[in-house]
Amino acid sequence: MKLDITTKHLRVLNLLNFTEGKDLELMETLMGISRPNLNNYLKDIHKHIKNVEKTGKMDCIITDIIGKKQLYPLLKKKQTVSKEDRIFFLILKLLIEGTLNLDYLAELLNISRRTLNIDLLSIKDSLNVFELKIESHTGRGIFLDGNISNKRNALCCYIYKYLVEEEYLPTLFKTSFSYITSNYEISSLLNHDIEKFMKDFNFDTFFYNRILLTSFYISFKYLVLDPDEDMKNSYSLEIALKDRFSFETYFSKVFSKDEIDNFYNFLHNSVFKDIKFKNIGGFLNILKICSGNFPEESIYLKDHLSIWKDVVKTVLNKEISPEDEILLKNVIQRVSFSSKQKHYLYIYEFYFLNLNLDSYTSNKCISLFKEFRKYYWNISFTDVFAIYFILNSPKKRPVKEVTILYKNIPILILEGMKNEIEHKYNIVIKDFVNNLFFEEHRKNNHVSTVGIFGDIKLYDNFQHNSESLEIMYLDLKI
């Protein structure tokens, strides 16, 4: 009998290696599955390992699986589309295109029309959360019905989920949706403006902020969901907020007085200026999420801080200092805000599996996560990493001057680990520079040595012009 390998098998495999097989409970929590189901996934994975004794003993299965580096690419090649992935694919396609052709999709997905009709029941339930409905028109197909704002909100959530989970999803997703992010407007103009925004306004605090901003832009500006709707109320932010009083009325909720002038200039010279003014509420909400700046949550800050102090004391055996309180304020407010959201879509935020962390750090973060989950039901594991690194930045004495290049790792994480990185490599970090801006930075600053992490790939022109540049390959294993 053919053994299907799904997205969940791939996630289970990487989680098993991350936990070194010592914490199946964490895997159950992050995967949202029971122990019997987890065991079945592990057994399926084990059957693809050659030259090992086939056994039903979980200890032996786990030992055989851990550390097999070629196992993931092998399973990835055999990956099939699970029901969960299929429903996700259909929802995303419906939100983007507004309609589904069931005959075409049955052939594409190699399933029956009956199976598709059963899937539609799950799709209806998922979209009801966003107050959206699907209608079936005989001979024409399936159509999405609902308020355009609700459609865009739903699309933003599902685009975000797609971009965060893309690494693990079947190739069907990439072949169907990669056109959204591979065009010049998104891959170049938007990405450039987002990096500038992160750098100039200190928004590089959380994992996935870039993806969140990208998802919003794609959903509320780039994709045309309703041509007739787009012709109405077409004033952009650039036009509607030309006068400074109106501009400050809205964005003073997110930016300080010192930042308002700079943000005004940034917005009116970036792709974000073309966002429709009627969508400003969504834009402000996204900016709040990216920064963790929720004034409405500040009244609960004292109560949350009491909980956080207890958790940190229990797990790390340390006190949260007044300086830590300032750094953690926005993290606390964001976690508090997220735990109250009605439109909660489970997203597998597994970028932390790409970080080469030592077992001590991983175990402490796992313990923090478990403790925080007692109070915040949907706190993400990546947010726990941010908390841990904010709280751990001992002062060390370094030597060599190095400019650190970064790409996907939030700058707050790197700055929080600055002293530890300096101590490990016996260096002094001159600056953190996003790799997109390195050539510009190099023109105005003397750089003799750069430090890079595993997710940075050096381009050919960079290498050819770098004979006098020393490159240090770093990791986050502190």
Side-chain angles (χ1 to χ4, degrees):
M1 186 177 80
K2 182 183 177 183
L3 180 62
D4 287 337
I5 292 298
T6 68
T7 303
K8 283 194 172 180
H9 288 91
L10 300 177
R11 291 175 179 139
V12 164
L13 173 59
N14 279 352
L15 278 173
L16 186 73
N17 283 314
F18 173 74
T19 61
E20 298 178 334
K22 299 174 183 177
D23 201 328
L24 299 185
E25 179 186 348
L26 175 72
M27 296 175 63
E28 292 171 38
T29 301
L30 293 176
M31 291 295 301
I33 57 178
S34 64
R35 180 61 61 86
N37 282 338
L38 175 59
N39 289 344
N40 287 334
Y41 284 117
L42 292 172
K43 290 175 183 177
D44 290 345
I45 293 170
H46 189 256
K47 291 175 184 177
H48 285 80
I49 304 177
K50 295 180 179 180
N51 303 321
V52 295
E53 180 183 352
K54 304 310 175 187
T55 175
K57 297 180 180 180
M58 291 312 302
D59 288 348
C60 296
I61 288 174
I62 290 171
T63 300
D64 288 340
I65 292 174
I66 290 175
K68 298 291 190 302
K69 293 183 178 180
Q70 295 305 314
L71 193 51
Y72 183 89
L74 172 66
L75 296 182
K76 184 65 177 175
K77 289 181 180 178
K78 298 182 177 183
Q79 184 179 13
T80 58
V81 181
S82 67
K83 179 179 180 179
E84 180 180 325
D85 288 337
R86 191 172 67 238
I87 290 173
F88 176 23
F89 172 82
L90 291 171
I91 290 176
L92 191 53
K93 192 170 183 65
L94 180 60
L95 288 169
I96 292 172
E97 300 177 3
T99 183
L100 296 176
N101 183 316
L102 298 186
D103 289 331
Y104 165 77
L105 290 169
E107 183 177 353
L108 176 68
L109 298 168
N110 194 28
I111 57 175
S112 66
R113 281 287 299 267
R114 182 176 179 276
T115 299
L116 264 178
N117 287 329
I118 294 174
D119 287 347
L120 287 176
L121 297 177
S122 297
I123 294 172
K124 285 180 180 179
D125 291 339
S126 297
L127 294 179
N128 277 339
V129 176
F130 296 91
E131 299 180 5
L132 297 174
K133 298 179 180 180
I134 57 176
E135 296 182 350
S136 178
H137 295 178
T138 304
R140 294 177 58 199
I142 300 297
F143 294 84
L144 182 65
D145 182 53
N147 180 280
I148 189 67
S149 294
N150 291 340
K151 290 180 182 179
R152 292 193 185 280
N153 285 331
L155 179 59
C156 185
C157 291
Y158 277 92
I159 288 286
Y160 177 79
K161 178 178 172 67
Y162 161 61
L163 294 177
V164 169
E165 298 181 358
E166 187 177 14
E167 175 185 353
Y168 290 92
L169 295 173
T171 55
L172 171 69
F173 283 82
K174 186 174 183 179
T175 56
S176 300
F177 304 124
S178 62
Y179 73 92
I180 295 174
T181 56
S182 60
N183 64 87
Y184 180 72
E185 181 177 345
I186 304 299
S187 65
S188 183
L189 299 179
L190 176 63
N191 284 350
H192 179 276
D193 285 348
I194 286 177
E195 291 304 333
K196 182 172 177 56
F197 175 68
M198 293 283 183
K199 178 176 180 290
D200 292 351
F201 299 97
N202 196 30
F203 263 57
D204 203 0
T205 305
F206 302 103
F207 285 89
Y208 303 117
N209 271 1
R210 292 169 177 81
I211 291 179
L212 189 56
L213 286 165
T214 300
S215 304
F216 175 80
Y217 184 84
I218 289 172
S219 305
F220 283 83
K221 167 26 179 96
Y222 177 70
L223 290 177
V224 177
L225 304 187
D226 184 341
D228 293 334
E229 181 269 344
D230 271 17
M231 293 297 293
K232 303 173 185 176
N233 303 318
S234 58
Y235 287 115
S236 66
L237 291 182
E238 179 183 30
I239 296 172
L241 299 178
K242 205 68 176 177
D243 71 279
R244 299 301 293 270
F245 178 78
S246 297
F247 184 85
E248 292 185 17
T249 299
Y250 288 97
F251 289 103
S252 61
K253 300 173 183 178
V254 179
F255 298 95
S256 68
K257 290 182 179 179
D258 294 336
E259 294 172 322
I260 282 290
D261 284 344
N262 289 335
F263 184 69
Y264 179 88
N265 293 327
F266 166 79
L267 181 68
H268 287 76
N269 289 283
S270 75
V271 294
F272 290 101
K273 70 180 184 297
D274 297 320
I275 293 172
K276 298 294 176 60
F277 175 69
K278 62 187 175 184
N279 296 322
I280 192 171
F283 188 41
L284 287 169
N285 200 43
I286 289 294
L287 293 179
K288 286 182 177 181
I289 295 172
C290 286
S291 65
N293 183 10
F294 291 96
E296 62 270 29
E297 293 294 327
S298 62
I299 59 175
Y300 309 109
L301 186 61
K302 185 177 180 181
D303 293 334
H304 287 298
L305 194 54
S306 176
I307 293 172
W308 286 50
K309 286 182 176 179
D310 288 342
V311 170
V312 171
K313 181 65 176 177
T314 299
V315 177
L316 302 180
N317 193 30
K318 66 185 302 181
E319 305 293 336
I320 293 180
S321 68
E323 293 79 8
D324 291 333
E325 289 184 23
I326 295 172
L327 292 173
L328 288 173
K329 177 183 175 182
N330 287 8
V331 183
I332 294 173
Q333 290 184 158
R334 186 168 111 146
V335 169
S336 172
F337 170 81
S338 298
S339 67
K340 300 174 183 176
Q341 293 311 291
K342 174 185 176 183
H343 299 323
Y344 181 72
L345 177 65
Y346 192 85
I347 297 173
Y348 297 93
E349 297 185 354
F350 284 0
Y351 183 75
F352 65 88
L353 294 176
N354 297 329
L355 303 179
N356 191 18
L357 298 170
D358 63 281
S359 59
Y360 176 83
T361 300
S362 298
N363 290 335
K364 285 300 180 182
C365 287
I366 289 171
S367 298
L368 275 176
F369 175 74
K370 289 181 176 179
E371 199 65 25
F372 273 119
R373 285 278 292 208
K374 296 177 182 178
Y375 305 96
Y376 306 100
W377 66 279
N378 65 342
I379 189 171
S380 75
F381 204 78
T382 48
D383 279 345
V384 170
F385 269 97
I387 295 166
Y388 178 81
F389 289 121
I390 286 172
L391 293 170
N392 288 273
S393 54
K395 296 180 180 180
K396 304 293 179 181
R397 196 174 78 186
V399 179
K400 182 185 277 188
E401 292 189 338
V402 177
T403 297
I404 301 293
L405 301 189
Y406 68 94
K407 180 180 178 183
N408 292 320
I409 303 173
I411 188 65
L412 182 67
I413 302 298
L414 293 175
E415 289 178 341
M417 296 184 65
K418 179 176 181 289
N419 291 325
E420 292 180 324
I421 295 172
E422 288 178 337
H423 175 71
K424 176 179 179 179
Y425 290 98
N426 196 31
I427 60 175
V428 58
I429 296 176
K430 290 178 62 179
D431 206 349
F432 293 97
V433 179
N434 185 274
N435 67 314
L436 291 179
F437 296 105
F438 176 68
E439 291 299 340
E440 180 181 343
H441 176 85
R442 197 179 178 193
K443 291 177 183 176
N444 302 312
N445 300 272
H446 173 70
V447 180
S448 58
T449 306
V450 296
I452 65 172
F453 294 91
D455 61 341
I456 299 279
K457 289 184 173 62
L458 301 182
Y459 301 104
D460 288 339
N461 63 332
F462 176 84
Q463 291 175 308
H464 292 161
N465 296 324
S466 304
E467 290 81 8
S468 61
L469 195 64
E470 180 182 353
I471 300 172
M472 293 184 65
Y473 294 90
L474 314 175
D475 60 44
L476 295 181
K477 185 182 288 186
I478 303 300

